[in-house]
Amino acid sequence: MWKTIAMLALACALPAFAMEPERTVSGTSVTSTHDPRMRIDLPSTAKYVGADRWLLLGFDDCEMHLFVDADADKRIQRLYWVQFEAYIPERPELHHDYSASRRITINGLEFHLDTWVQSADEPTEKDSDGDHQRRLLAAKGYQRPANGMYVRLVYLPDAEQRKEVMVIYGEDLAPTGFTAAQLREKGTAHDRWPAIEKALIERALERNIIVRTF
């Protein structure tokens, strides 16, 4: 599910970015004062892992904040991934396209919604947001679940669709009794996925993630 746009040769010629996170974290809330002005509130049980900021593929300014619910051995049960993105001015032709995604309204804001399942041993593209997420969790000693299920919510704050806010909520699949391979398309238990997915989305929206603009 991570970005798969090919790396362009001219990326190395683009100006350097100051890669310090700009959004602030207080407790389990992430506040952005620009692009857009927004606060994302997560459950009080979540623990902040840390932040990362980098130029994805040479043209997408990404700022990531990760939170987890984990056990005493740092095995992750729930993941909360908040990410702000903006294409750099040097690439005015780039725009986000989520036309294939479902849409859902949260607090009057329209979000694009996707879900998927994934095993921990599936490869990820080097320097992608998925790669940065895995490295940040590993650096803090957290263990990703062997099999997980995820909801991605994407908000596009303006008509140009060059900026986005992405919130991903993930859970360990173990309580369902199924693996990612069994639940994905053509898997032996794929017919069970719609009900599991519905409950996962409901938990993300009703109990775990609250998004507000100000």
Side-chain angles (χ1 to χ4, degrees):
M1 297 299 298
W2 319 124
K3 295 182 180 297
T4 56
I5 304 172
M7 180 73 79
L8 300 181
L10 60 78
C12 61
L14 294 174
F17 267 64
M19 293 284 97
E20 290 295 322
E22 296 182 342
R23 281 76 183 183
T24 59
V25 175
S26 177
T28 56
S29 295
V30 181
T31 300
S32 173
T33 59
H34 67 92
D35 300 326
R37 291 170 59 87
M38 173 178 284
R39 192 180 78 212
I40 300 169
D41 298 322
L42 303 174
S44 59
T45 57
K47 182 174 181 180
Y48 187 50
V49 176
D52 194 3
R53 188 178 175 206
W54 76 103
L55 201 58
L56 177 63
L57 302 176
F59 48 74
D60 191 3
D61 182 4
C62 288
E63 181 175 333
M64 170 189 294
H65 295 269
L66 298 181
F67 298 76
V68 296
D69 285 326
D71 65 17
D73 295 319
K74 290 196 167 183
R75 291 188 294 257
I76 297 171
Q77 274 82 55
R78 286 169 293 276
L79 170 72
Y80 308 90
W81 172 351
V82 178
Q83 187 160 302
F84 299 85
E85 300 186 27
Y87 288 130
I88 62 174
E90 290 81 0
R91 299 301 306 275
E93 79 282 8
L94 296 178
H95 304 271
H96 295 290
D97 181 8
Y98 289 97
S99 57
S101 299
R102 288 170 282 178
R103 298 187 182 189
I104 191 168
T105 301
I106 305 174
N107 290 337
L109 304 176
E110 183 178 77
F111 284 77
H112 299 269
L113 182 150
D114 295 289
T115 64
W116 70 96
V117 293
Q118 186 181 55
S119 62
D121 59 1
E122 290 181 39
T124 188
E125 183 180 356
K126 181 176 173 56
D127 207 38
S128 66
D129 48 359
D131 181 41
H132 278 252
Q133 175 249 165
R134 293 184 185 193
R135 285 193 276 132
L136 180 53
L137 291 173
K140 297 301 178 72
Y142 288 101
Q143 302 176 53
R144 298 168 59 238
N147 293 274
M149 53 183 173
Y150 303 89
V151 178
R152 180 179 66 176
L153 301 165
V154 176
Y155 173 63
L156 303 176
D158 55 50
E160 291 187 351
Q161 298 189 354
R162 288 178 47 79
K163 302 169 185 175
E164 71 175 35
V165 181
M166 179 179 76
V167 181
I168 292 176
Y169 170 66
E171 290 184 0
D172 188 352
L173 261 176
T176 71
F178 298 106
T179 66
Q182 290 172 320
L183 290 173
R184 65 168 50 99
E185 189 174 358
K186 298 183 179 180
T188 57
H190 181 62
D191 62 321
R192 303 291 298 274
W193 174 239
I196 294 172
E197 178 199 48
K198 181 176 183 293
L200 175 68
I201 294 171
E202 289 174 353
R203 287 193 295 275
L205 299 179
E206 293 176 3
R207 298 204 305 267
N208 294 308
I209 299 169
I210 303 172
V211 182
R212 298 184 178 91
T213 55
F214 58 90

